[in-house]
Amino acid sequence: MKTTRRRFVKTVGAGALGAGIAPGLVLGRAPAVERGGGYDVAVVGAGVFGSWIAHELQRSGRRVVLIDGYGPGNARSSSGGQTRVIRMGYGDQEIYSRWSLRSLELWKELFRRSGRPGFFQQSGVLWMARERDPLTVQTLETLERLGVRHERLLRPELEARWPQIDFGPITWAILEPESGFLMAFHAVQAVARRAQRLGGEYLGARVAPPAAAGGRLGEVTTERGEKVRAGDFVFACGPWLAKLFPELLADRFFTTRQEVFYLGPPPGDERFQVGAIPVWADFAEEIYGLPDFKGRGFKVAPDRHGPPIDPDTAERTVTAETATRVLDYAGRRFPPLKGAPIVGGEVCQYTNTSNGDFLIDRHPEMDNVWLVGGGSGHGFKHGPAIGEYVAARIEDGGAVDPRFALASKATVQKRTVY
Ligand SMILES: Cc1cc2nc3c(=O)[nH]c(=O)nc-3n(C[C@H](O)[C@H](O)[C@H](O)COP(=O)(O)OP(=O)(O)OC[C@H]3O[C@@H](n4cnc5c(N)ncnc54)[C@H](O)[C@@H]3O)c2cc1C
């Protein structure tokens, strides 16, 4: 079969985010057929999980093809959008704190190699707490145990450091000075590009739901009819995993519509920019935000789960109802922003598991098929650690932690990971 290749072109203003596809990614067609024997591993889905898995497998010497229907970091995916928080605090869920630590190292290394150190912004992350706040108390204990740099700040110090915040009922906080945020879709495209530089291939195509034969999968077929053969397959399709494997996941994934707002600070007011204010989270009110970066606006996003959403067909326009809630909160907590205009919005989706733990497991009937997803609104930062984890399991055939197993995913939501 003839192989046609073309470079991705930069598209301006694509989707709700204006998320262009990074130049440098090379789109391939039907490469496995060209290679006769096929690939060692085919990774379906080039969000943050799939791109890092492909990168780590390729780095360990496997022949990898990464396949995506809409492109790495596209505006429909959960990995689209301008920014994602990376924090070390996770209450008493120490595994995620350790994964965040490891991931931050790998993100920085990747950005250094890519000549883009600015894709991580060390703005600091501030956990704002009420008097009784078990999650923040547990976070403090975990950060201490793991030796993560942090400061415990009481109300007078908070007021002195950030006079632009009205702390209201907040009596104390934890500052993680070495944490911050990642440039989301840019970062995913950087990972996918790097996987290609290491020798991996990229195929822009949507894969049809696979059909098992004899307990193993031999190939997948794209909607264009190309067949891609591989020894192992990883499906890292975010919310689409439930469309590909409805019998396993239709009741176990809760895909929710999440809205993000950008508020415009007054002219000349630099108090909401990176360096002047950290990323902040107010878990008691289920809301968090990021400093204004490059003039995009001060980000405020409710973390409360929204209604169900279809990732293919959803209209990605924010609602007046959520806007009212966000403006009310911002006006209370950040008085200089009272009456500030909304200068931008994004609609994305969380793919929640019952409790917020990721899904990383083999398909119960196909030995060589991995299902990786369930980012549950906190997965982005962990892309590198997930990449390492899945690559190691494929390499050594080891068991997965029971918390990631398909069997642990219940059909009723009870969130325990924040
Ligand atoms: C508003 C919002 C804010 C968030 N904030 C944070 C945060 O601050 N920090 C944090 O750590 N996490 C955050 N998250 C969560 C994080 O973004 C997600 O957990 C993560 O992006 C999930 O990545 P993924 O690779 O699993 O899925 P996705 O990014 O959705 O990627 C799946 C990919 O699979 C492709 N695909 C699907 N089906 C097929 C098919 N059949 N064939 C080929 N390709 C296919 C899609 O095109 C897509 O590119 C947030 C999420 C949202 C929505």
Side-chain angles (χ1 to χ4, degrees), residues 128 130 164-170 280 282 285 328-336:
M128 304 199 282
R130 270 75 172 164
Q164 67 274 51
I165 306 179
D166 178 347
F167 287 94
I170 291 149
W280 52 274
D282 187 347
E285 294 212 34
D328 167 67
Y329 181 87
R332 274 189 285 127
R333 189 69 68 239
F334 307 100

PDB file of all heavy atoms in Angstrom, residues 128 130 164-170 280 282 285 328-336:
ATOM      1  N   MET A 128      -6.441  26.525  50.017  1.00  0.00           N
ATOM      2  CA  MET A 128      -7.103  27.374  51.007  1.00  0.00           C
ATOM      3  C   MET A 128      -8.009  26.496  51.882  1.00  0.00           C
ATOM      4  O   MET A 128      -8.817  25.721  51.345  1.00  0.00           O
ATOM      5  CB  MET A 128      -7.911  28.455  50.299  1.00  0.00           C
ATOM      6  CG  MET A 128      -7.040  29.277  49.344  1.00  0.00           C
ATOM      7  SD  MET A 128      -7.730  30.862  48.865  1.00  0.00           S
ATOM      8  CE  MET A 128      -8.925  30.395  47.652  1.00  0.00           C
ATOM      9  N   ARG A 130     -10.522  25.799  55.529  1.00  0.00           N
ATOM     10  CA  ARG A 130     -11.311  26.253  56.671  1.00  0.00           C
ATOM     11  C   ARG A 130     -10.715  25.619  57.928  1.00  0.00           C
ATOM     12  O   ARG A 130      -9.840  24.771  57.848  1.00  0.00           O
ATOM     13  CB  ARG A 130     -12.760  25.776  56.544  1.00  0.00           C
ATOM     14  CG  ARG A 130     -13.681  26.720  55.816  1.00  0.00           C
ATOM     15  CD  ARG A 130     -13.437  26.695  54.355  1.00  0.00           C
ATOM     16  NE  ARG A 130     -14.445  27.475  53.621  1.00  0.00           N
ATOM     17  CZ  ARG A 130     -14.323  27.874  52.384  1.00  0.00           C
ATOM     18  NH1 ARG A 130     -13.214  27.627  51.716  1.00  0.00           N
ATOM     19  NH2 ARG A 130     -15.267  28.556  51.797  1.00  0.00           N
ATOM     20  N   GLN A 164      -4.940  41.107  47.484  1.00  0.00           N
ATOM     21  CA  GLN A 164      -6.004  41.106  46.463  1.00  0.00           C
ATOM     22  C   GLN A 164      -7.030  39.989  46.703  1.00  0.00           C
ATOM     23  O   GLN A 164      -8.018  39.884  45.974  1.00  0.00           O
ATOM     24  CB  GLN A 164      -5.412  40.997  45.042  1.00  0.00           C
ATOM     25  CG  GLN A 164      -4.728  39.691  44.667  1.00  0.00           C
ATOM     26  CD  GLN A 164      -3.269  39.616  45.074  1.00  0.00           C
ATOM     27  OE1 GLN A 164      -2.940  39.881  46.235  1.00  0.00           O
ATOM     28  NE2 GLN A 164      -2.401  39.221  44.152  1.00  0.00           N
ATOM     29  N   ILE A 165      -6.773  39.128  47.730  1.00  0.00           N
ATOM     30  CA  ILE A 165      -7.724  38.053  48.049  1.00  0.00           C
ATOM     31  C   ILE A 165      -8.454  38.395  49.346  1.00  0.00           C
ATOM     32  O   ILE A 165      -7.836  38.779  50.335  1.00  0.00           O
ATOM     33  CB  ILE A 165      -7.000  36.689  48.224  1.00  0.00           C
ATOM     34  CG1 ILE A 165      -6.131  36.369  46.994  1.00  0.00           C
ATOM     35  CG2 ILE A 165      -7.998  35.578  48.497  1.00  0.00           C
ATOM     36  CD1 ILE A 165      -5.362  35.047  47.084  1.00  0.00           C
ATOM     37  N   ASP A 166      -9.788  38.242  49.331  1.00  0.00           N
ATOM     38  CA  ASP A 166     -10.565  38.325  50.572  1.00  0.00           C
ATOM     39  C   ASP A 166     -10.776  36.885  51.036  1.00  0.00           C
ATOM     40  O   ASP A 166     -11.559  36.138  50.432  1.00  0.00           O
ATOM     41  CB  ASP A 166     -11.912  39.011  50.304  1.00  0.00           C
ATOM     42  CG  ASP A 166     -12.776  39.063  51.558  1.00  0.00           C
ATOM     43  OD1 ASP A 166     -12.441  38.351  52.544  1.00  0.00           O
ATOM     44  OD2 ASP A 166     -13.781  39.789  51.547  1.00  0.00           O
ATOM     45  N   PHE A 167     -10.074  36.488  52.093  1.00  0.00           N
ATOM     46  CA  PHE A 167     -10.058  35.076  52.470  1.00  0.00           C
ATOM     47  C   PHE A 167     -11.360  34.614  53.140  1.00  0.00           C
ATOM     48  O   PHE A 167     -11.559  33.411  53.306  1.00  0.00           O
ATOM     49  CB  PHE A 167      -8.827  34.770  53.329  1.00  0.00           C
ATOM     50  CG  PHE A 167      -7.560  34.755  52.502  1.00  0.00           C
ATOM     51  CD1 PHE A 167      -6.769  35.907  52.386  1.00  0.00           C
ATOM     52  CD2 PHE A 167      -7.186  33.630  51.794  1.00  0.00           C
ATOM     53  CE1 PHE A 167      -5.625  35.901  51.598  1.00  0.00           C
ATOM     54  CE2 PHE A 167      -6.051  33.623  51.001  1.00  0.00           C
ATOM     55  CZ  PHE A 167      -5.257  34.758  50.901  1.00  0.00           C
ATOM     56  N   GLY A 168     -12.244  35.524  53.502  1.00  0.00           N
ATOM     57  CA  GLY A 168     -13.552  35.122  54.043  1.00  0.00           C
ATOM     58  C   GLY A 168     -13.408  34.092  55.154  1.00  0.00           C
ATOM     59  O   GLY A 168     -12.694  34.337  56.136  1.00  0.00           O
ATOM     60  N   PRO A 169     -14.018  32.903  54.987  1.00  0.00           N
ATOM     61  CA  PRO A 169     -13.962  31.880  56.043  1.00  0.00           C
ATOM     62  C   PRO A 169     -12.659  31.086  56.078  1.00  0.00           C
ATOM     63  O   PRO A 169     -12.502  30.174  56.889  1.00  0.00           O
ATOM     64  CB  PRO A 169     -15.131  30.959  55.679  1.00  0.00           C
ATOM     65  CG  PRO A 169     -15.242  31.079  54.190  1.00  0.00           C
ATOM     66  CD  PRO A 169     -14.831  32.482  53.846  1.00  0.00           C
ATOM     67  N   ILE A 170     -11.743  31.428  55.196  1.00  0.00           N
ATOM     68  CA  ILE A 170     -10.487  30.651  55.120  1.00  0.00           C
ATOM     69  C   ILE A 170      -9.558  31.095  56.241  1.00  0.00           C
ATOM     70  O   ILE A 170      -9.286  32.284  56.396  1.00  0.00           O
ATOM     71  CB  ILE A 170      -9.828  30.844  53.735  1.00  0.00           C
ATOM     72  CG1 ILE A 170     -10.704  30.147  52.698  1.00  0.00           C
ATOM     73  CG2 ILE A 170      -8.401  30.326  53.698  1.00  0.00           C
ATOM     74  CD1 ILE A 170     -10.682  30.791  51.359  1.00  0.00           C
ATOM     75  N   TRP A 280      -4.719  28.518  42.871  1.00  0.00           N
ATOM     76  CA  TRP A 280      -5.404  28.385  44.160  1.00  0.00           C
ATOM     77  C   TRP A 280      -6.530  27.365  44.036  1.00  0.00           C
ATOM     78  O   TRP A 280      -7.076  27.134  42.945  1.00  0.00           O
ATOM     79  CB  TRP A 280      -5.983  29.749  44.602  1.00  0.00           C
ATOM     80  CG  TRP A 280      -6.813  30.369  43.530  1.00  0.00           C
ATOM     81  CD1 TRP A 280      -6.361  31.157  42.495  1.00  0.00           C
ATOM     82  CD2 TRP A 280      -8.223  30.182  43.308  1.00  0.00           C
ATOM     83  NE1 TRP A 280      -7.405  31.478  41.658  1.00  0.00           N
ATOM     84  CE2 TRP A 280      -8.561  30.894  42.130  1.00  0.00           C
ATOM     85  CE3 TRP A 280      -9.217  29.499  43.996  1.00  0.00           C
ATOM     86  CZ2 TRP A 280      -9.856  30.929  41.632  1.00  0.00           C
ATOM     87  CZ3 TRP A 280     -10.512  29.535  43.503  1.00  0.00           C
ATOM     88  CH2 TRP A 280     -10.828  30.247  42.337  1.00  0.00           C
ATOM     89  N   ASP A 282     -10.043  26.041  46.342  1.00  0.00           N
ATOM     90  CA  ASP A 282     -10.923  26.181  47.498  1.00  0.00           C
ATOM     91  C   ASP A 282     -11.858  24.966  47.450  1.00  0.00           C
ATOM     92  O   ASP A 282     -12.964  25.043  46.914  1.00  0.00           O
ATOM     93  CB  ASP A 282     -11.695  27.510  47.373  1.00  0.00           C
ATOM     94  CG  ASP A 282     -12.518  27.824  48.616  1.00  0.00           C
ATOM     95  OD1 ASP A 282     -12.691  26.928  49.464  1.00  0.00           O
ATOM     96  OD2 ASP A 282     -12.990  28.976  48.722  1.00  0.00           O
ATOM     97  N   GLU A 285     -15.554  24.897  48.468  1.00  0.00           N
ATOM     98  CA  GLU A 285     -16.539  25.462  47.525  1.00  0.00           C
ATOM     99  C   GLU A 285     -16.430  24.819  46.143  1.00  0.00           C
ATOM    100  O   GLU A 285     -17.021  25.299  45.169  1.00  0.00           O
ATOM    101  CB  GLU A 285     -16.390  26.988  47.431  1.00  0.00           C
ATOM    102  CG  GLU A 285     -16.745  27.682  48.739  1.00  0.00           C
ATOM    103  CD  GLU A 285     -17.356  29.066  48.550  1.00  0.00           C
ATOM    104  OE1 GLU A 285     -18.085  29.284  47.564  1.00  0.00           O
ATOM    105  OE2 GLU A 285     -17.085  29.922  49.417  1.00  0.00           O
ATOM    106  N   ASP A 328     -19.988  35.243  40.910  1.00  0.00           N
ATOM    107  CA  ASP A 328     -20.312  35.458  42.325  1.00  0.00           C
ATOM    108  C   ASP A 328     -19.102  35.104  43.186  1.00  0.00           C
ATOM    109  O   ASP A 328     -18.683  35.872  44.056  1.00  0.00           O
ATOM    110  CB  ASP A 328     -21.527  34.606  42.719  1.00  0.00           C
ATOM    111  CG  ASP A 328     -21.691  34.548  44.232  1.00  0.00           C
ATOM    112  OD1 ASP A 328     -21.993  35.619  44.800  1.00  0.00           O
ATOM    113  OD2 ASP A 328     -21.485  33.473  44.840  1.00  0.00           O
ATOM    114  N   TYR A 329     -18.523  33.938  42.915  1.00  0.00           N
ATOM    115  CA  TYR A 329     -17.373  33.511  43.721  1.00  0.00           C
ATOM    116  C   TYR A 329     -16.205  34.485  43.546  1.00  0.00           C
ATOM    117  O   TYR A 329     -15.608  34.941  44.525  1.00  0.00           O
ATOM    118  CB  TYR A 329     -16.926  32.095  43.324  1.00  0.00           C
ATOM    119  CG  TYR A 329     -15.765  31.630  44.169  1.00  0.00           C
ATOM    120  CD1 TYR A 329     -15.975  31.008  45.397  1.00  0.00           C
ATOM    121  CD2 TYR A 329     -14.452  31.868  43.780  1.00  0.00           C
ATOM    122  CE1 TYR A 329     -14.905  30.626  46.202  1.00  0.00           C
ATOM    123  CE2 TYR A 329     -13.380  31.501  44.574  1.00  0.00           C
ATOM    124  CZ  TYR A 329     -13.615  30.870  45.779  1.00  0.00           C
ATOM    125  OH  TYR A 329     -12.555  30.517  46.581  1.00  0.00           O
ATOM    126  N   ALA A 330     -15.907  34.813  42.304  1.00  0.00           N
ATOM    127  CA  ALA A 330     -14.754  35.685  42.037  1.00  0.00           C
ATOM    128  C   ALA A 330     -14.947  37.048  42.704  1.00  0.00           C
ATOM    129  O   ALA A 330     -14.004  37.614  43.278  1.00  0.00           O
ATOM    130  CB  ALA A 330     -14.556  35.843  40.536  1.00  0.00           C
ATOM    131  N   GLY A 331     -16.169  37.557  42.655  1.00  0.00           N
ATOM    132  CA  GLY A 331     -16.436  38.862  43.267  1.00  0.00           C
ATOM    133  C   GLY A 331     -16.229  38.842  44.777  1.00  0.00           C
ATOM    134  O   GLY A 331     -15.768  39.823  45.365  1.00  0.00           O
ATOM    135  N   ARG A 332     -16.567  37.710  45.390  1.00  0.00           N
ATOM    136  CA  ARG A 332     -16.380  37.583  46.850  1.00  0.00           C
ATOM    137  C   ARG A 332     -14.915  37.395  47.216  1.00  0.00           C
ATOM    138  O   ARG A 332     -14.391  38.027  48.113  1.00  0.00           O
ATOM    139  CB  ARG A 332     -17.144  36.348  47.361  1.00  0.00           C
ATOM    140  CG  ARG A 332     -18.594  36.574  47.686  1.00  0.00           C
ATOM    141  CD  ARG A 332     -19.160  35.354  48.379  1.00  0.00           C
ATOM    142  NE  ARG A 332     -19.398  34.233  47.483  1.00  0.00           N
ATOM    143  CZ  ARG A 332     -18.937  32.995  47.677  1.00  0.00           C
ATOM    144  NH1 ARG A 332     -18.198  32.701  48.737  1.00  0.00           N
ATOM    145  NH2 ARG A 332     -19.203  32.028  46.814  1.00  0.00           N
ATOM    146  N   ARG A 333     -14.255  36.465  46.528  1.00  0.00           N
ATOM    147  CA  ARG A 333     -12.902  36.056  46.935  1.00  0.00           C
ATOM    148  C   ARG A 333     -11.819  37.008  46.407  1.00  0.00           C
ATOM    149  O   ARG A 333     -10.768  37.170  47.022  1.00  0.00           O
ATOM    150  CB  ARG A 333     -12.643  34.618  46.442  1.00  0.00           C
ATOM    151  CG  ARG A 333     -11.384  33.954  46.953  1.00  0.00           C
ATOM    152  CD  ARG A 333     -11.435  33.627  48.454  1.00  0.00           C
ATOM    153  NE  ARG A 333     -12.406  32.597  48.741  1.00  0.00           N
ATOM    154  CZ  ARG A 333     -13.451  32.769  49.566  1.00  0.00           C
ATOM    155  NH1 ARG A 333     -13.634  33.917  50.194  1.00  0.00           N
ATOM    156  NH2 ARG A 333     -14.309  31.792  49.789  1.00  0.00           N
ATOM    157  N   PHE A 334     -12.098  37.612  45.281  1.00  0.00           N
ATOM    158  CA  PHE A 334     -11.093  38.494  44.660  1.00  0.00           C
ATOM    159  C   PHE A 334     -11.763  39.839  44.376  1.00  0.00           C
ATOM    160  O   PHE A 334     -12.155  40.130  43.225  1.00  0.00           O
ATOM    161  CB  PHE A 334     -10.569  37.864  43.359  1.00  0.00           C
ATOM    162  CG  PHE A 334     -10.070  36.443  43.532  1.00  0.00           C
ATOM    163  CD1 PHE A 334     -10.865  35.348  43.176  1.00  0.00           C
ATOM    164  CD2 PHE A 334      -8.830  36.196  44.101  1.00  0.00           C
ATOM    165  CE1 PHE A 334     -10.421  34.048  43.364  1.00  0.00           C
ATOM    166  CE2 PHE A 334      -8.373  34.883  44.289  1.00  0.00           C
ATOM    167  CZ  PHE A 334      -9.174  33.807  43.918  1.00  0.00           C
ATOM    168  N   PRO A 335     -11.933  40.679  45.396  1.00  0.00           N
ATOM    169  CA  PRO A 335     -12.735  41.905  45.246  1.00  0.00           C
ATOM    170  C   PRO A 335     -12.363  42.790  44.052  1.00  0.00           C
ATOM    171  O   PRO A 335     -13.280  43.333  43.407  1.00  0.00           O
ATOM    172  CB  PRO A 335     -12.536  42.621  46.582  1.00  0.00           C
ATOM    173  CG  PRO A 335     -12.249  41.519  47.545  1.00  0.00           C
ATOM    174  CD  PRO A 335     -11.481  40.484  46.774  1.00  0.00           C
ATOM    175  N   PRO A 336     -11.078  42.930  43.681  1.00  0.00           N
ATOM    176  CA  PRO A 336     -10.814  43.785  42.506  1.00  0.00           C
ATOM    177  C   PRO A 336     -11.435  43.236  41.226  1.00  0.00           C
ATOM    178  O   PRO A 336     -11.529  43.961  40.228  1.00  0.00           O
ATOM    179  CB  PRO A 336      -9.277  43.799  42.404  1.00  0.00           C
ATOM    180  CG  PRO A 336      -8.788  43.405  43.757  1.00  0.00           C
ATOM    181  CD  PRO A 336      -9.821  42.474  44.322  1.00  0.00           C
TER     182      PRO A 336
END
